[in-house]
Every structure is written in C-alpha cells, then in structure tokens.
Amino acid sequence: MLHRALYSLSILSLSIATAHAAETYTLDTPRLTGIDNFRDLAGTTSAYTTSRDGVMRSGVFYRSNALTPSGTDLEILNGLGISDVYDLRTPSEAAGTPDTLPSGASYQLIDIIGSTTSGSNITTSALNITSAAQAVAMMEDTNRAFVSDAGMRGQFAVLFNELAGADGAALFHCTAGKDRTGWTAAVLLSIAGVDDATIMQNYLATNDYTADRVAATLAHMPASYAAIYAPLLGVQASYLQAGFDEVVAQYGSMDNYLKEGLGLSQETIYVLRGKMVYYSSLPETAGLLGNAAAGAQLLTQLQNSSLAGDYTAYNYYLQSAIDSGTLSGVESTIGGQVHADATSYLLRQDALIDKAAEPYASGIELQAGQRRLWMTGLAGYQGNDGSAEAASSNEHTQGTMLGVTQRFSEQLSGHAGFGYSRGNVGGAGGEVDTDLTFIGLGARFAPNGLERGLFVDANLSGGWLDYDSSRELGGGLGKVSGDSDGTLVGAALALGYRLPVSSVTLEPSLGLRVSRLDLDGFQEQGNDLALDVDDTKETRTSAVANLKASFAPQSLSGGWQLVPGLEVGYEHVLGDHEVDSEGQLLGLDISQRAAFDSRYQFTGAFSLTANLGELSLGAQAGISGGGDSHGASGGLKASYQF
C-alpha cells in the first residue's frame, strides 16, 4: 500500500544491501526553535540499535512538546511527511495552547490522564507540593499510574493501536513532551528491542533539549519555589524506573503489560515493531547459497515495502521469525523455484515426444506405398536431488500419442502424429501441472535404401501448453497459485547408419536437437507474497548420440514373433545448461534456478515387440540419469499395417 512508502523512504539513507545493523547511522532530525523537545524516536544523534541485529528507522515516529512552531519550524514540519498527530493532553490543556498542525496531518486528542482518578490525584498533588522530595515522589507516582490505573491503560491502548494504523509518519506529544510522551516513547522503544540503558538515555535527553526553557522558567521564580518545582520541569531516572518497576510488579514483563494490561494483540505489537525496526540480517541466513540465499535476500528487502509495518501476513511471519530465530524454510519457497523446475522439465519434453514416435518412425518394415497406424503411451518419472543451490524436485509424465507412418519409396518414409502429455513437477513447496497438446512430424531419407546404410532423420514438433501452479510458502503464510499458457516447439536432425550384423541390426546416430518454450508471464494469487512471474522465453540446444540394437525375431506359437531391442543415448546441452525463472514481488526481483542442472543426460531402454501379421504390440522400459538426477520411463504401443 502506498501509505507505507512515506516511512519506507526514511531508510534509504541506510545502504540496505550491505549495511549491518550494528553500524548506526547519523540522524539529521532538525532542532525546532518553537518546539524545543521535538525529536525523532529513532535516536538523538544516531539511530539506536536493537536486539536481534536491528536498527531503528528514522522518520516513523516523532515525539515533542506542544506544537507551537515558528514559521520556519512549520516549513520543516511540513516536509517530514507527518500524516497523524496524537495529542496526549487534557482538553483544557489543548484548548489553552492549541496545536498548529503540519500540512495535511490529521489530529486526534487522546486524553491520557484527565478523566482518570489517578489523573485527578496527580493534579491535586501538584497544587499541594511543599518540597522537592514531594515533587519527585509525585512524578514517580505518575509513572506508576501509567501502569496501574485502568483508565490510563485504556487511553494508552487507544494510542498504540492508532500509532500502528498511522498511514505515514506519526507525531505524539503532551504539554512538555516528557511524562506522557516520555512513557509512550519508552514503551515503543521497548517494543523495538532497544536496551534499557538506551531507553533511559532517550528519556533523560529531555533535560538537554529543554534546558534553556526550564532555566528561564526557574529564573523567574523565587529561589525557594524554584528548588521545589524544578523536579516537575525536568525528568529524572527514578521517574521512568518507577514505571518500569510497576510493570514488573504487576505483569512480570513488558510483553505481558502490552498484552494483558493494554490489551494489544500480537499483530499490533508486530506492526509497531515492523514500522520502527529494520533487520539487516535475518535468522539462519548465514552461509545460504543459491535459491535459498535469494529468498532470504527477498525476505530482507521486503522490510522496506508496503508489506512491512502493516497488518500483513508477511509482517506477522517476519516478526515471528525474528522472535523464534528461524525462517521456517520460507527462504527456499518464497522465490518460486518450482517455476524454474517446470521450465527445465518442459524443455526436455520435445525429446519424449520423439521417443514416443520412434518405434514406428522409420517405416523400415513397410513396403513402398504401405502405411502403419500406431498408438503409444507415455509414462515417466525423474527425481532431481537437491544441492546448495536448489531444493530437490520431481517430475511425473503420462500421455498418449496416435500417429501414422508411410513409406513413400525405397529411400523415403515419413510420419505424423498428435497427442497429449500431462506433467506434474514438484519442488520447493510448489507444484506445477502442465497439459501439453502436441503434433509431431518426421521423415527419414536413406540414399541407398532404408534397410541399410547412411540415413538422415528430421523431426519437428509443436504443442499448446496449459500451465497451473500452486505453492505452499510455509511459515503460516499459506498458499499462492497461478496459471498461464504458452507454446513448446522442437526440432531434431540426426545423421545415422543402419548396419545389419548377423542376428542384430545396429543403428548409431549423431545429431542436434533444439527446443523452444514460450510461456506467458502471470500474476500469482492467494496472498500478499504472490509473485509476478516473468515471461519464459527459453531455448535449449543439445548434441545427441544414440545407439539402437534390434535383434532377430524369435518365433512363438500361434504365428507370433517376438522382437527384442536395446537403446542407449547421450544428450549434451550446448551453451548455458542451467535454467532459471525470474519474477518480481512489489518491484523486487527474484531469480531461481532449477534443481536439474546437469549438462548431460544418459538414457537406456529395453523393448519387446510382438508381431502377428499386420498387428504389432509392444512395451518399453527405460532409465535415465545425469548429474544428481535419475529417472525411469515406460510405455505400451500398438500398431496396424495396411
């Protein structure tokens, strides 16, 4: 959402890609002449560091005394992107010194003490103070009341919920900007994870910011009165410490005070922390490589997006991960590796189409002018082991192809077919289903006749692709899904030699294969971490070597003949063999690599064909492997010659 852009811009001074949270950065918060206690909650001169390797963001929350800016002050305030002003004074205080608001800022009065019993007691006590010790005691009691008084807790609850929902930078203030404002600032810094000593330092900085005004006020009092009332005009460590001690006494911890005392939800606490703190290193990211490292970087960068510091699934997940010390594997799922896996899988489908047609493609068993109608089934599996670069993936294929082969002459045959292939690719928490409807064409030419000698094979295929994906992100982030469509085309050219030797015919060949995948980009749906996946335009070129062995037919009873066959193959990718997918999330780029990253792949297959006259039935089983990938395939086939 655009409203988060205002506070996100404040972090641009920090070199996000390389900065470490332990390295603070200088703040240039202006000092205002008419509002002397105006300052950035992030720090005084430099941004505070927080627990778990965080650093406070500037320009998110400002604290101050009553808004009585000079003309120059107002110009400065107008340039800070302040969208909300929260006045913590009583109605009478606000009426006596009305705020002058920054341009475009909304105003809300949240009376912290005026309508409470403790507030009345505080007012009465202030009128009856006769010593400095009583003044100190009253200020300590006031801070205790911030914790113990139900009415005040209710007003603070309103304030913190409003701060969480502020659209841009927010400013909160009371009259002097030290007590109600000081407690608010201390609680916010506690939520951010700033250490106690730094919180106290921030609290006591009021004495420096307001020193001139306080000195001038005391100078107009008789010395005896000045000594009594001086503790009311400044702050002392014991004031804030009294409030902290009351938190421990009544609730045991600040977290319990926030949830039980103020009734804040965990979501609201996380939104406040997400607004205030940037973590330059996330849990369990040291030493990550490849896809996981890219995912962790994306999770880190998203802290400066509209998803951070707001009521989003991402913000709740990230803040939970910070607390628990684990990213729960989301670093490996957020980038959409499965889209790269699916791309790699589809680029290898052209070879499977050719394999399906291959048993009947040559037309050698036909006489010139004869045809053979055939059908073959496809089934296959491949597993790709994970590595430091990518998570493991698996691929399943099933399909059918129907075709016809004709021998045109002694030297030339051709075939044509159509079919479908359904694929399923799983990996890195995702799953992609592909439906490919395709046609295939091919021809063999042998100058000395198809039965023996040199030959050339040429194959073309083209298909229309439906693409559906779903991804479980993990970490309580839910599921995203998407769909697209595209085309897959392929071409292969091979030079071979057919050599009958005794009871076996050998057929070695060498060639080239080119596959081209064009898949339209699409926007995933489901939650705020859905990716905008880029168009896929990927070409894969390979050198291919095959050796087929067909054995002499074995006669069986009933006139059947059984023909066994063996085939081994090798495919070597030329050029870049690694396959990536690209996407964006809120303008941030993410690249992922497929688990299958081998330049080469070996295949082996055994087939049996039973012939009875014009009828032919058969089956084939094969294995494949390359690098850390392994697979198996099989299929049934049938044909009729006419």
Side-chain angles (χ1 to χ4, degrees), residues 482-514:
D483 60 83
S484 183
D485 54 65
T487 59
L488 178 66
V489 295
L493 185 67
L495 180 66
Y497 196 91
R498 183 173 172 83
L499 179 64
V501 179
S502 185
S503 60
V504 63
T505 299
L506 300 177
E507 200 173 280
S509 65
L510 293 172
L512 288 175
R513 179 183 304 283
V514 179

PDB file of all heavy atoms in Angstrom, residues 482-514:
ATOM      1  N   GLY A 482      -1.278 -19.832  -9.572  1.00  0.00           N
ATOM      2  CA  GLY A 482      -1.281 -19.069 -10.812  1.00  0.00           C
ATOM      3  C   GLY A 482      -1.502 -19.975 -11.998  1.00  0.00           C
ATOM      4  O   GLY A 482      -1.409 -21.201 -11.894  1.00  0.00           O
ATOM      5  N   ASP A 483      -1.803 -19.375 -13.127  1.00  0.00           N
ATOM      6  CA  ASP A 483      -1.982 -20.157 -14.345  1.00  0.00           C
ATOM      7  C   ASP A 483      -1.547 -19.328 -15.536  1.00  0.00           C
ATOM      8  O   ASP A 483      -1.555 -18.102 -15.509  1.00  0.00           O
ATOM      9  CB  ASP A 483      -3.437 -20.621 -14.500  1.00  0.00           C
ATOM     10  CG  ASP A 483      -4.402 -19.459 -14.575  1.00  0.00           C
ATOM     11  OD1 ASP A 483      -4.572 -18.891 -15.675  1.00  0.00           O
ATOM     12  OD2 ASP A 483      -4.979 -19.104 -13.538  1.00  0.00           O
ATOM     13  N   SER A 484      -1.164 -20.026 -16.593  1.00  0.00           N
ATOM     14  CA  SER A 484      -0.696 -19.371 -17.797  1.00  0.00           C
ATOM     15  C   SER A 484      -0.857 -20.337 -18.967  1.00  0.00           C
ATOM     16  O   SER A 484      -1.368 -21.450 -18.811  1.00  0.00           O
ATOM     17  CB  SER A 484       0.773 -18.951 -17.633  1.00  0.00           C
ATOM     18  OG  SER A 484       1.234 -18.240 -18.761  1.00  0.00           O
ATOM     19  N   ASP A 485      -0.412 -19.914 -20.121  1.00  0.00           N
ATOM     20  CA  ASP A 485      -0.402 -20.788 -21.296  1.00  0.00           C
ATOM     21  C   ASP A 485       0.754 -20.376 -22.186  1.00  0.00           C
ATOM     22  O   ASP A 485       1.340 -19.305 -22.029  1.00  0.00           O
ATOM     23  CB  ASP A 485      -1.730 -20.727 -22.051  1.00  0.00           C
ATOM     24  CG  ASP A 485      -2.124 -19.306 -22.412  1.00  0.00           C
ATOM     25  OD1 ASP A 485      -1.416 -18.657 -23.205  1.00  0.00           O
ATOM     26  OD2 ASP A 485      -3.141 -18.837 -21.876  1.00  0.00           O
ATOM     27  N   GLY A 486       1.068 -21.246 -23.128  1.00  0.00           N
ATOM     28  CA  GLY A 486       2.194 -20.968 -23.999  1.00  0.00           C
ATOM     29  C   GLY A 486       2.344 -22.019 -25.070  1.00  0.00           C
ATOM     30  O   GLY A 486       1.429 -22.812 -25.327  1.00  0.00           O
ATOM     31  N   THR A 487       3.507 -22.031 -25.673  1.00  0.00           N
ATOM     32  CA  THR A 487       3.801 -22.979 -26.745  1.00  0.00           C
ATOM     33  C   THR A 487       5.149 -23.632 -26.509  1.00  0.00           C
ATOM     34  O   THR A 487       6.043 -23.054 -25.877  1.00  0.00           O
ATOM     35  CB  THR A 487       3.815 -22.280 -28.114  1.00  0.00           C
ATOM     36  OG1 THR A 487       4.810 -21.233 -28.103  1.00  0.00           O
ATOM     37  CG2 THR A 487       2.453 -21.689 -28.432  1.00  0.00           C
ATOM     38  N   LEU A 488       5.274 -24.834 -27.047  1.00  0.00           N
ATOM     39  CA  LEU A 488       6.528 -25.585 -26.991  1.00  0.00           C
ATOM     40  C   LEU A 488       6.786 -26.146 -28.377  1.00  0.00           C
ATOM     41  O   LEU A 488       5.933 -26.849 -28.934  1.00  0.00           O
ATOM     42  CB  LEU A 488       6.431 -26.716 -25.970  1.00  0.00           C
ATOM     43  CG  LEU A 488       7.657 -27.623 -25.829  1.00  0.00           C
ATOM     44  CD1 LEU A 488       8.839 -26.853 -25.262  1.00  0.00           C
ATOM     45  CD2 LEU A 488       7.340 -28.825 -24.944  1.00  0.00           C
ATOM     46  N   VAL A 489       7.907 -25.817 -28.951  1.00  0.00           N
ATOM     47  CA  VAL A 489       8.271 -26.333 -30.276  1.00  0.00           C
ATOM     48  C   VAL A 489       9.653 -26.956 -30.198  1.00  0.00           C
ATOM     49  O   VAL A 489      10.479 -26.587 -29.347  1.00  0.00           O
ATOM     50  CB  VAL A 489       8.247 -25.225 -31.352  1.00  0.00           C
ATOM     51  CG1 VAL A 489       6.838 -24.699 -31.540  1.00  0.00           C
ATOM     52  CG2 VAL A 489       9.208 -24.100 -31.012  1.00  0.00           C
ATOM     53  N   GLY A 490       9.883 -27.905 -31.102  1.00  0.00           N
ATOM     54  CA  GLY A 490      11.175 -28.571 -31.118  1.00  0.00           C
ATOM     55  C   GLY A 490      11.530 -29.066 -32.501  1.00  0.00           C
ATOM     56  O   GLY A 490      10.663 -29.290 -33.355  1.00  0.00           O
ATOM     57  N   ALA A 491      12.807 -29.232 -32.721  1.00  0.00           N
ATOM     58  CA  ALA A 491      13.305 -29.754 -33.994  1.00  0.00           C
ATOM     59  C   ALA A 491      14.546 -30.576 -33.716  1.00  0.00           C
ATOM     60  O   ALA A 491      15.336 -30.253 -32.817  1.00  0.00           O
ATOM     61  CB  ALA A 491      13.619 -28.619 -34.963  1.00  0.00           C
ATOM     62  N   ALA A 492      14.705 -31.643 -34.480  1.00  0.00           N
ATOM     63  CA  ALA A 492      15.885 -32.502 -34.326  1.00  0.00           C
ATOM     64  C   ALA A 492      16.340 -32.971 -35.700  1.00  0.00           C
ATOM     65  O   ALA A 492      15.515 -33.262 -36.579  1.00  0.00           O
ATOM     66  CB  ALA A 492      15.572 -33.691 -33.437  1.00  0.00           C
ATOM     67  N   LEU A 493      17.636 -33.038 -35.867  1.00  0.00           N
ATOM     68  CA  LEU A 493      18.233 -33.524 -37.104  1.00  0.00           C
ATOM     69  C   LEU A 493      19.373 -34.451 -36.735  1.00  0.00           C
ATOM     70  O   LEU A 493      20.232 -34.088 -35.928  1.00  0.00           O
ATOM     71  CB  LEU A 493      18.746 -32.354 -37.947  1.00  0.00           C
ATOM     72  CG  LEU A 493      19.295 -32.690 -39.331  1.00  0.00           C
ATOM     73  CD1 LEU A 493      18.171 -33.198 -40.241  1.00  0.00           C
ATOM     74  CD2 LEU A 493      19.963 -31.467 -39.956  1.00  0.00           C
ATOM     75  N   ALA A 494      19.359 -35.661 -37.304  1.00  0.00           N
ATOM     76  CA  ALA A 494      20.383 -36.651 -36.947  1.00  0.00           C
ATOM     77  C   ALA A 494      20.879 -37.366 -38.201  1.00  0.00           C
ATOM     78  O   ALA A 494      20.119 -37.613 -39.146  1.00  0.00           O
ATOM     79  CB  ALA A 494      19.819 -37.660 -35.959  1.00  0.00           C
ATOM     80  N   LEU A 495      22.149 -37.698 -38.160  1.00  0.00           N
ATOM     81  CA  LEU A 495      22.788 -38.485 -39.215  1.00  0.00           C
ATOM     82  C   LEU A 495      23.172 -39.834 -38.634  1.00  0.00           C
ATOM     83  O   LEU A 495      23.818 -39.898 -37.582  1.00  0.00           O
ATOM     84  CB  LEU A 495      24.034 -37.758 -39.734  1.00  0.00           C
ATOM     85  CG  LEU A 495      24.827 -38.456 -40.844  1.00  0.00           C
ATOM     86  CD1 LEU A 495      24.009 -38.536 -42.117  1.00  0.00           C
ATOM     87  CD2 LEU A 495      26.142 -37.711 -41.092  1.00  0.00           C
ATOM     88  N   GLY A 496      22.733 -40.932 -39.306  1.00  0.00           N
ATOM     89  CA  GLY A 496      22.991 -42.252 -38.754  1.00  0.00           C
ATOM     90  C   GLY A 496      23.360 -43.268 -39.819  1.00  0.00           C
ATOM     91  O   GLY A 496      23.400 -42.967 -41.023  1.00  0.00           O
ATOM     92  N   TYR A 497      23.603 -44.457 -39.348  1.00  0.00           N
ATOM     93  CA  TYR A 497      23.983 -45.547 -40.257  1.00  0.00           C
ATOM     94  C   TYR A 497      23.313 -46.820 -39.755  1.00  0.00           C
ATOM     95  O   TYR A 497      23.405 -47.158 -38.562  1.00  0.00           O
ATOM     96  CB  TYR A 497      25.501 -45.727 -40.274  1.00  0.00           C
ATOM     97  CG  TYR A 497      25.989 -46.543 -41.441  1.00  0.00           C
ATOM     98  CD1 TYR A 497      26.343 -45.928 -42.634  1.00  0.00           C
ATOM     99  CD2 TYR A 497      26.084 -47.935 -41.354  1.00  0.00           C
ATOM    100  CE1 TYR A 497      26.789 -46.665 -43.718  1.00  0.00           C
ATOM    101  CE2 TYR A 497      26.522 -48.686 -42.432  1.00  0.00           C
ATOM    102  CZ  TYR A 497      26.867 -48.041 -43.611  1.00  0.00           C
ATOM    103  OH  TYR A 497      27.301 -48.786 -44.690  1.00  0.00           O
ATOM    104  N   ARG A 498      22.634 -47.495 -40.660  1.00  0.00           N
ATOM    105  CA  ARG A 498      21.952 -48.747 -40.311  1.00  0.00           C
ATOM    106  C   ARG A 498      22.806 -49.904 -40.811  1.00  0.00           C
ATOM    107  O   ARG A 498      23.092 -50.020 -42.003  1.00  0.00           O
ATOM    108  CB  ARG A 498      20.563 -48.784 -40.929  1.00  0.00           C
ATOM    109  CG  ARG A 498      19.762 -50.019 -40.560  1.00  0.00           C
ATOM    110  CD  ARG A 498      18.334 -49.895 -41.079  1.00  0.00           C
ATOM    111  NE  ARG A 498      17.594 -51.132 -40.898  1.00  0.00           N
ATOM    112  CZ  ARG A 498      16.983 -51.503 -39.787  1.00  0.00           C
ATOM    113  NH1 ARG A 498      17.022 -50.690 -38.738  1.00  0.00           N
ATOM    114  NH2 ARG A 498      16.333 -52.644 -39.718  1.00  0.00           N
ATOM    115  N   LEU A 499      23.182 -50.788 -39.878  1.00  0.00           N
ATOM    116  CA  LEU A 499      24.137 -51.847 -40.201  1.00  0.00           C
ATOM    117  C   LEU A 499      23.640 -53.191 -39.681  1.00  0.00           C
ATOM    118  O   LEU A 499      23.747 -53.476 -38.480  1.00  0.00           O
ATOM    119  CB  LEU A 499      25.501 -51.530 -39.582  1.00  0.00           C
ATOM    120  CG  LEU A 499      26.609 -52.565 -39.806  1.00  0.00           C
ATOM    121  CD1 LEU A 499      26.955 -52.675 -41.290  1.00  0.00           C
ATOM    122  CD2 LEU A 499      27.847 -52.174 -39.002  1.00  0.00           C
ATOM    123  N   PRO A 500      23.071 -54.033 -40.539  1.00  0.00           N
ATOM    124  CA  PRO A 500      22.694 -55.392 -40.120  1.00  0.00           C
ATOM    125  C   PRO A 500      23.954 -56.243 -39.936  1.00  0.00           C
ATOM    126  O   PRO A 500      24.816 -56.300 -40.819  1.00  0.00           O
ATOM    127  CB  PRO A 500      21.844 -55.906 -41.278  1.00  0.00           C
ATOM    128  CG  PRO A 500      21.465 -54.685 -42.072  1.00  0.00           C
ATOM    129  CD  PRO A 500      22.597 -53.734 -41.898  1.00  0.00           C
ATOM    130  N   VAL A 501      24.088 -56.872 -38.788  1.00  0.00           N
ATOM    131  CA  VAL A 501      25.228 -57.732 -38.495  1.00  0.00           C
ATOM    132  C   VAL A 501      24.694 -59.023 -37.892  1.00  0.00           C
ATOM    133  O   VAL A 501      24.184 -59.021 -36.761  1.00  0.00           O
ATOM    134  CB  VAL A 501      26.216 -57.061 -37.520  1.00  0.00           C
ATOM    135  CG1 VAL A 501      27.371 -58.004 -37.227  1.00  0.00           C
ATOM    136  CG2 VAL A 501      26.724 -55.748 -38.085  1.00  0.00           C
ATOM    137  N   SER A 502      24.815 -60.123 -38.638  1.00  0.00           N
ATOM    138  CA  SER A 502      24.363 -61.423 -38.142  1.00  0.00           C
ATOM    139  C   SER A 502      22.915 -61.334 -37.656  1.00  0.00           C
ATOM    140  O   SER A 502      22.018 -60.976 -38.413  1.00  0.00           O
ATOM    141  CB  SER A 502      25.304 -61.901 -37.034  1.00  0.00           C
ATOM    142  OG  SER A 502      24.945 -63.203 -36.610  1.00  0.00           O
ATOM    143  N   SER A 503      22.671 -61.576 -36.362  1.00  0.00           N
ATOM    144  CA  SER A 503      21.309 -61.605 -35.832  1.00  0.00           C
ATOM    145  C   SER A 503      20.900 -60.298 -35.174  1.00  0.00           C
ATOM    146  O   SER A 503      19.888 -60.239 -34.477  1.00  0.00           O
ATOM    147  CB  SER A 503      21.175 -62.738 -34.813  1.00  0.00           C
ATOM    148  OG  SER A 503      22.074 -62.542 -33.744  1.00  0.00           O
ATOM    149  N   VAL A 504      21.677 -59.238 -35.377  1.00  0.00           N
ATOM    150  CA  VAL A 504      21.350 -57.955 -34.772  1.00  0.00           C
ATOM    151  C   VAL A 504      21.597 -56.846 -35.792  1.00  0.00           C
ATOM    152  O   VAL A 504      22.498 -56.955 -36.633  1.00  0.00           O
ATOM    153  CB  VAL A 504      22.193 -57.714 -33.500  1.00  0.00           C
ATOM    154  CG1 VAL A 504      23.675 -57.650 -33.827  1.00  0.00           C
ATOM    155  CG2 VAL A 504      21.762 -56.424 -32.803  1.00  0.00           C
ATOM    156  N   THR A 505      20.792 -55.826 -35.729  1.00  0.00           N
ATOM    157  CA  THR A 505      20.974 -54.659 -36.586  1.00  0.00           C
ATOM    158  C   THR A 505      21.306 -53.467 -35.700  1.00  0.00           C
ATOM    159  O   THR A 505      20.549 -53.119 -34.788  1.00  0.00           O
ATOM    160  CB  THR A 505      19.705 -54.347 -37.388  1.00  0.00           C
ATOM    161  OG1 THR A 505      19.403 -55.463 -38.231  1.00  0.00           O
ATOM    162  CG2 THR A 505      19.907 -53.108 -38.252  1.00  0.00           C
ATOM    163  N   LEU A 506      22.470 -52.875 -35.981  1.00  0.00           N
ATOM    164  CA  LEU A 506      22.918 -51.720 -35.207  1.00  0.00           C
ATOM    165  C   LEU A 506      22.578 -50.433 -35.944  1.00  0.00           C
ATOM    166  O   LEU A 506      22.638 -50.372 -37.176  1.00  0.00           O
ATOM    167  CB  LEU A 506      24.422 -51.803 -34.970  1.00  0.00           C
ATOM    168  CG  LEU A 506      24.923 -53.037 -34.201  1.00  0.00           C
ATOM    169  CD1 LEU A 506      26.437 -53.024 -34.103  1.00  0.00           C
ATOM    170  CD2 LEU A 506      24.289 -53.098 -32.826  1.00  0.00           C
ATOM    171  N   GLU A 507      22.250 -49.416 -35.152  1.00  0.00           N
ATOM    172  CA  GLU A 507      21.850 -48.147 -35.759  1.00  0.00           C
ATOM    173  C   GLU A 507      22.396 -46.994 -34.926  1.00  0.00           C
ATOM    174  O   GLU A 507      21.689 -46.403 -34.110  1.00  0.00           O
ATOM    175  CB  GLU A 507      20.329 -48.071 -35.839  1.00  0.00           C
ATOM    176  CG  GLU A 507      19.804 -47.059 -36.844  1.00  0.00           C
ATOM    177  CD  GLU A 507      18.306 -47.149 -37.004  1.00  0.00           C
ATOM    178  OE1 GLU A 507      17.837 -48.037 -37.724  1.00  0.00           O
ATOM    179  OE2 GLU A 507      17.611 -46.317 -36.377  1.00  0.00           O
ATOM    180  N   PRO A 508      23.680 -46.633 -35.101  1.00  0.00           N
ATOM    181  CA  PRO A 508      24.221 -45.470 -34.399  1.00  0.00           C
ATOM    182  C   PRO A 508      23.826 -44.179 -35.124  1.00  0.00           C
ATOM    183  O   PRO A 508      23.644 -44.172 -36.345  1.00  0.00           O
ATOM    184  CB  PRO A 508      25.731 -45.697 -34.466  1.00  0.00           C
ATOM    185  CG  PRO A 508      25.930 -46.498 -35.715  1.00  0.00           C
ATOM    186  CD  PRO A 508      24.703 -47.351 -35.883  1.00  0.00           C
ATOM    187  N   SER A 509      23.721 -43.088 -34.346  1.00  0.00           N
ATOM    188  CA  SER A 509      23.384 -41.794 -34.954  1.00  0.00           C
ATOM    189  C   SER A 509      23.917 -40.661 -34.095  1.00  0.00           C
ATOM    190  O   SER A 509      24.102 -40.803 -32.883  1.00  0.00           O
ATOM    191  CB  SER A 509      21.876 -41.651 -35.132  1.00  0.00           C
ATOM    192  OG  SER A 509      21.221 -41.630 -33.872  1.00  0.00           O
ATOM    193  N   LEU A 510      24.160 -39.535 -34.754  1.00  0.00           N
ATOM    194  CA  LEU A 510      24.576 -38.303 -34.094  1.00  0.00           C
ATOM    195  C   LEU A 510      23.713 -37.163 -34.621  1.00  0.00           C
ATOM    196  O   LEU A 510      23.380 -37.135 -35.816  1.00  0.00           O
ATOM    197  CB  LEU A 510      26.048 -37.992 -34.374  1.00  0.00           C
ATOM    198  CG  LEU A 510      27.098 -38.936 -33.793  1.00  0.00           C
ATOM    199  CD1 LEU A 510      28.479 -38.588 -34.347  1.00  0.00           C
ATOM    200  CD2 LEU A 510      27.100 -38.834 -32.272  1.00  0.00           C
ATOM    201  N   GLY A 511      23.376 -36.225 -33.742  1.00  0.00           N
ATOM    202  CA  GLY A 511      22.531 -35.146 -34.222  1.00  0.00           C
ATOM    203  C   GLY A 511      22.447 -33.972 -33.282  1.00  0.00           C
ATOM    204  O   GLY A 511      23.145 -33.902 -32.256  1.00  0.00           O
ATOM    205  N   LEU A 512      21.563 -33.048 -33.627  1.00  0.00           N
ATOM    206  CA  LEU A 512      21.297 -31.853 -32.844  1.00  0.00           C
ATOM    207  C   LEU A 512      19.801 -31.764 -32.554  1.00  0.00           C
ATOM    208  O   LEU A 512      18.974 -32.159 -33.384  1.00  0.00           O
ATOM    209  CB  LEU A 512      21.729 -30.591 -33.587  1.00  0.00           C
ATOM    210  CG  LEU A 512      23.226 -30.319 -33.734  1.00  0.00           C
ATOM    211  CD1 LEU A 512      23.439 -29.084 -34.609  1.00  0.00           C
ATOM    212  CD2 LEU A 512      23.869 -30.097 -32.360  1.00  0.00           C
ATOM    213  N   ARG A 513      19.487 -31.233 -31.379  1.00  0.00           N
ATOM    214  CA  ARG A 513      18.095 -31.016 -31.015  1.00  0.00           C
ATOM    215  C   ARG A 513      17.954 -29.592 -30.464  1.00  0.00           C
ATOM    216  O   ARG A 513      18.776 -29.138 -29.668  1.00  0.00           O
ATOM    217  CB  ARG A 513      17.652 -32.012 -29.947  1.00  0.00           C
ATOM    218  CG  ARG A 513      16.192 -31.828 -29.502  1.00  0.00           C
ATOM    219  CD  ARG A 513      15.830 -32.783 -28.391  1.00  0.00           C
ATOM    220  NE  ARG A 513      16.071 -34.158 -28.753  1.00  0.00           N
ATOM    221  CZ  ARG A 513      15.282 -34.874 -29.548  1.00  0.00           C
ATOM    222  NH1 ARG A 513      14.196 -34.326 -30.048  1.00  0.00           N
ATOM    223  NH2 ARG A 513      15.570 -36.126 -29.827  1.00  0.00           N
ATOM    224  N   VAL A 514      16.903 -28.905 -30.888  1.00  0.00           N
ATOM    225  CA  VAL A 514      16.611 -27.563 -30.410  1.00  0.00           C
ATOM    226  C   VAL A 514      15.180 -27.544 -29.889  1.00  0.00           C
ATOM    227  O   VAL A 514      14.254 -27.982 -30.582  1.00  0.00           O
ATOM    228  CB  VAL A 514      16.778 -26.504 -31.518  1.00  0.00           C
ATOM    229  CG1 VAL A 514      16.429 -25.116 -30.981  1.00  0.00           C
ATOM    230  CG2 VAL A 514      18.192 -26.517 -32.066  1.00  0.00           C
TER     231      VAL A 514
END
